[in-house]
Structure formats: C-alpha cells, structure tokens
Amino acid sequence: GTFCVRDREPRAARNPRTGVPVVVEAKAHVHFKPGKRMRARLNLERVDPEQEAGQLLRAELRSAAAAWRAR
C-alpha cells in the first residue's frame, strides 16, 4: 500500500464533555491506500492460486536479482 497526505476542511463539532459547539480547524492527515492484494484479502475476493504463485515467484526473482546486483 501507499501513504499520502490529505487535507481536511474546517468543520463544526461539539465538545463531548460539555456539549458546547466548537469549530475544528482545517488540518492535514495521513491516508493509507491498500494495495490490490491487501484489498482482496480484506474483502475475501477469490484469488487464482496459480496467478498468485506466479506473482510471488516473480517478486522473489526480482529481489534475488537486486541482491545479486548489489554485490
């Protein structure tokens, strides 16, 4: 997944202890966008085992090649 920064608009809220209305200022917050495989696992989507095995194999080959080049 990836992280990015998003802006929140100012909004009206209420103090939970006193019930007095307050204004919450505009601010930035961190947003996480999950990758395809994480969304598939969270949503229990059917994943073709052969396709996933192929993806894992390619990822392992890429990391092994990168480690070999780093030597």
Side-chain angles (χ1 to χ4, degrees), residues 18-70:
T18 63
V20 176
V22 294
V23 175
V24 178
E25 297 176 1
K27 59 178 107 174
H29 70 99
V30 177
H31 176 77
F32 177 73
K33 182 177 177 183
K36 289 180 183 179
R37 291 178 62 196
M38 180 182 272
R39 280 196 311 266
R41 287 183 180 179
L42 289 173
N43 294 320
L44 300 175
E45 294 175 8
R46 299 284 181 204
V47 178
D48 181 18
E50 289 182 16
Q51 181 182 8
E52 187 169 8
Q55 290 174 349
L56 291 173
L57 178 62
R58 283 190 294 277
E60 288 177 18
L61 290 174
R62 279 193 303 271
S63 64
W68 187 81
R69 281 188 297 251

